[in-house]
Amino acid sequence: MTKLTDTYTLSNDLQIPKIGFGTWQIPANLAQKAVLNALDLGYRHIDTALVYQNEQEVGAGIQESNIKREEIFITSKLPAETKSYDQTLQDFETTMANLQLDYLDLYLIHAPWPWAQKGANYDQQNREVWQAMEEIYASRRVKAIGVSNFNVYDLQNILDVAQIKPMVNQIRYFIGNTENEITEFSQAYGMLVEAYSPLATDELLNNQQLQQLAKKYGVSLAQLAIQFCVQNGVLPLPKAIQRAHAANNAQLDFVIETTDMEQLNNFQKTI
Ligand SMILES: NC(=O)c1ccc[n+]([C@@H]2O[C@H](COP(=O)([O-])OP(=O)(O)OC[C@H]3O[C@@H](n4cnc5c(N)ncnc54)[C@H](OP(=O)(O)O)[C@@H]3O)[C@@H](O)[C@H]2O)c1
């Protein structure tokens, strides 16, 4: 049983709605409408990023909704390619201008390495970037800061020097891909784990075994996958261009039984 207005509490006491609306791969010309739909359906948490190239339209959707700013939780991300102090401050300004906001709720380092160099060592640069993130946080223009795609090693690198610990780690997380080591470490250090691609960017949705289980609860596989995240204490960020999908994902008035959660937590990775 999860409502869109239910919240988790971050380590700095900030409330964050338990379900976020993802906007990756929503083309700019569809993003304003998609965000407006989501807000109309009751979502109060929107996840975007400078690299998604739709921040302006996401911002426009938020404006058009006429919902009070303080009632919406908005996250954006520093490009993974940005690995210097100065560029971090600059990119943050670009994001704020795109979204047309006075403050952001959550700002994340998108990844520990530029996408083209996945796994490369950027330890020193990530520490420098984290200093800039702390400065932005101190300016009060963002209410919380965190990271994304960081493994235990990457997190430790930041924790070794952080004055302010990351409050969130956003990782790829879905049934069969629960990243237990990263999740447990993040949570042990007070970070909320956010599940990106909770439907495995839709690849999970054809799994027959999971479809059977969803049927037992009278829900869609998408609903099952989203509720699974919440029952594990993780914050799902489902994305949907289609309003019917966004509406379906918001209906979470069921509870997955403990034995089924155990089965799902031991589910063999298929993707
Ligand atoms: N930090 C990172 O590096 C990172 C990386 C990837 C994603 N993310 C975040 O996580 C969000 C979600 O991840 P994702 O975009 O990979 O996708 P996802 O939420 O796992 O899956 C989205 C796909 O599932 C479909 N869908 C949604 N609800 C459905 C339903 N009820 N029934 C059937 N199909 C449904 C969508 O279709 P339609 O769109 O056609 O409705 C879309 O094709 C992103 O948008 C982004 O905000 C972050």
PDB file of all heavy atoms in Angstrom, residues 28 50 86 127 154 157 166 203 222 229 251 253:
ATOM      1  N   ALA A  28      12.145  16.043 -25.860  1.00  0.00           N
ATOM      2  CA  ALA A  28      11.817  17.390 -25.383  1.00  0.00           C
ATOM      3  C   ALA A  28      10.394  17.800 -25.776  1.00  0.00           C
ATOM      4  O   ALA A  28       9.670  18.386 -24.975  1.00  0.00           O
ATOM      5  CB  ALA A  28      12.838  18.389 -25.919  1.00  0.00           C
ATOM      6  N   LEU A  50      20.537  17.240 -16.644  1.00  0.00           N
ATOM      7  CA  LEU A  50      20.963  18.134 -17.735  1.00  0.00           C
ATOM      8  C   LEU A  50      21.137  17.346 -19.032  1.00  0.00           C
ATOM      9  O   LEU A  50      20.740  17.785 -20.109  1.00  0.00           O
ATOM     10  CB  LEU A  50      22.268  18.843 -17.334  1.00  0.00           C
ATOM     11  CG  LEU A  50      22.833  19.889 -18.292  1.00  0.00           C
ATOM     12  CD1 LEU A  50      21.811  20.963 -18.633  1.00  0.00           C
ATOM     13  CD2 LEU A  50      24.078  20.539 -17.717  1.00  0.00           C
ATOM     14  N   ASP A  86      34.942  24.114 -11.001  1.00  0.00           N
ATOM     15  CA  ASP A  86      34.343  25.255 -11.705  1.00  0.00           C
ATOM     16  C   ASP A  86      33.211  24.834 -12.629  1.00  0.00           C
ATOM     17  O   ASP A  86      32.169  25.476 -12.696  1.00  0.00           O
ATOM     18  CB  ASP A  86      35.402  26.005 -12.527  1.00  0.00           C
ATOM     19  CG  ASP A  86      36.362  26.755 -11.617  1.00  0.00           C
ATOM     20  OD1 ASP A  86      36.021  26.948 -10.427  1.00  0.00           O
ATOM     21  OD2 ASP A  86      37.453  27.130 -12.083  1.00  0.00           O
ATOM     22  N   ARG A 127      36.312  13.885  -5.845  1.00  0.00           N
ATOM     23  CA  ARG A 127      36.425  14.585  -4.550  1.00  0.00           C
ATOM     24  C   ARG A 127      36.304  16.094  -4.765  1.00  0.00           C
ATOM     25  O   ARG A 127      35.676  16.803  -3.982  1.00  0.00           O
ATOM     26  CB  ARG A 127      37.734  14.216  -3.848  1.00  0.00           C
ATOM     27  CG  ARG A 127      37.729  12.765  -3.336  1.00  0.00           C
ATOM     28  CD  ARG A 127      38.830  12.512  -2.336  1.00  0.00           C
ATOM     29  NE  ARG A 127      40.130  12.422  -2.959  1.00  0.00           N
ATOM     30  CZ  ARG A 127      40.780  11.286  -3.216  1.00  0.00           C
ATOM     31  NH1 ARG A 127      40.227  10.131  -2.894  1.00  0.00           N
ATOM     32  NH2 ARG A 127      41.963  11.294  -3.777  1.00  0.00           N
ATOM     33  N   ASP A 154      33.528   3.866  -4.954  1.00  0.00           N
ATOM     34  CA  ASP A 154      33.305   5.281  -5.305  1.00  0.00           C
ATOM     35  C   ASP A 154      32.720   6.060  -4.124  1.00  0.00           C
ATOM     36  O   ASP A 154      33.063   7.229  -3.911  1.00  0.00           O
ATOM     37  CB  ASP A 154      32.329   5.394  -6.484  1.00  0.00           C
ATOM     38  CG  ASP A 154      32.811   4.665  -7.730  1.00  0.00           C
ATOM     39  OD1 ASP A 154      34.014   4.756  -8.040  1.00  0.00           O
ATOM     40  OD2 ASP A 154      31.979   3.996  -8.381  1.00  0.00           O
ATOM     41  N   ASN A 157      35.386   6.744  -1.495  1.00  0.00           N
ATOM     42  CA  ASN A 157      36.265   7.827  -1.947  1.00  0.00           C
ATOM     43  C   ASN A 157      35.712   9.201  -1.554  1.00  0.00           C
ATOM     44  O   ASN A 157      36.450  10.094  -1.145  1.00  0.00           O
ATOM     45  CB  ASN A 157      36.420   7.727  -3.473  1.00  0.00           C
ATOM     46  CG  ASN A 157      37.209   8.868  -4.068  1.00  0.00           C
ATOM     47  OD1 ASN A 157      38.320   9.171  -3.630  1.00  0.00           O
ATOM     48  ND2 ASN A 157      36.629   9.541  -5.047  1.00  0.00           N
ATOM     49  N   PRO A 166      26.861  12.272   1.226  1.00  0.00           N
ATOM     50  CA  PRO A 166      25.775  12.170   0.243  1.00  0.00           C
ATOM     51  C   PRO A 166      24.507  11.656   0.931  1.00  0.00           C
ATOM     52  O   PRO A 166      24.572  10.774   1.786  1.00  0.00           O
ATOM     53  CB  PRO A 166      26.295  11.140  -0.770  1.00  0.00           C
ATOM     54  CG  PRO A 166      27.757  11.033  -0.525  1.00  0.00           C
ATOM     55  CD  PRO A 166      28.018  11.447   0.885  1.00  0.00           C
ATOM     56  N   GLU A 203      12.263  -3.902 -20.023  1.00  0.00           N
ATOM     57  CA  GLU A 203      12.682  -5.283 -20.346  1.00  0.00           C
ATOM     58  C   GLU A 203      12.148  -6.313 -19.358  1.00  0.00           C
ATOM     59  O   GLU A 203      12.088  -7.498 -19.648  1.00  0.00           O
ATOM     60  CB  GLU A 203      14.213  -5.384 -20.392  1.00  0.00           C
ATOM     61  CG  GLU A 203      14.806  -4.722 -21.617  1.00  0.00           C
ATOM     62  CD  GLU A 203      16.322  -4.815 -21.622  1.00  0.00           C
ATOM     63  OE1 GLU A 203      16.854  -5.928 -21.472  1.00  0.00           O
ATOM     64  OE2 GLU A 203      16.956  -3.756 -21.751  1.00  0.00           O
ATOM     65  N   ALA A 222       4.300  -3.956 -13.883  1.00  0.00           N
ATOM     66  CA  ALA A 222       4.922  -2.664 -13.548  1.00  0.00           C
ATOM     67  C   ALA A 222       4.585  -2.275 -12.106  1.00  0.00           C
ATOM     68  O   ALA A 222       5.471  -1.875 -11.335  1.00  0.00           O
ATOM     69  CB  ALA A 222       4.447  -1.584 -14.520  1.00  0.00           C
ATOM     70  N   CYS A 229      10.146  -2.283  -4.937  1.00  0.00           N
ATOM     71  CA  CYS A 229      11.193  -1.336  -4.517  1.00  0.00           C
ATOM     72  C   CYS A 229      10.828  -0.700  -3.183  1.00  0.00           C
ATOM     73  O   CYS A 229      11.646  -0.648  -2.253  1.00  0.00           O
ATOM     74  CB  CYS A 229      11.367  -0.223  -5.556  1.00  0.00           C
ATOM     75  SG  CYS A 229      11.989  -0.792  -7.145  1.00  0.00           S
ATOM     76  N   GLN A 251      -0.995   3.487  -8.886  1.00  0.00           N
ATOM     77  CA  GLN A 251      -1.984   2.726  -8.101  1.00  0.00           C
ATOM     78  C   GLN A 251      -1.277   1.591  -7.377  1.00  0.00           C
ATOM     79  O   GLN A 251      -1.056   0.526  -7.940  1.00  0.00           O
ATOM     80  CB  GLN A 251      -3.062   2.137  -9.028  1.00  0.00           C
ATOM     81  CG  GLN A 251      -3.860   3.171  -9.814  1.00  0.00           C
ATOM     82  CD  GLN A 251      -4.605   4.139  -8.906  1.00  0.00           C
ATOM     83  OE1 GLN A 251      -5.220   3.726  -7.930  1.00  0.00           O
ATOM     84  NE2 GLN A 251      -4.519   5.424  -9.215  1.00  0.00           N
ATOM     85  N   ASP A 253      -2.147   0.175  -4.249  1.00  0.00           N
ATOM     86  CA  ASP A 253      -2.907  -0.137  -3.033  1.00  0.00           C
ATOM     87  C   ASP A 253      -2.951  -1.643  -2.774  1.00  0.00           C
ATOM     88  O   ASP A 253      -4.010  -2.261  -2.738  1.00  0.00           O
ATOM     89  CB  ASP A 253      -4.312   0.473  -3.090  1.00  0.00           C
ATOM     90  CG  ASP A 253      -4.975   0.284  -4.449  1.00  0.00           C
ATOM     91  OD1 ASP A 253      -4.324  -0.353  -5.322  1.00  0.00           O
ATOM     92  OD2 ASP A 253      -6.100   0.735  -4.640  1.00  0.00           O
TER      93      ASP A 253
END
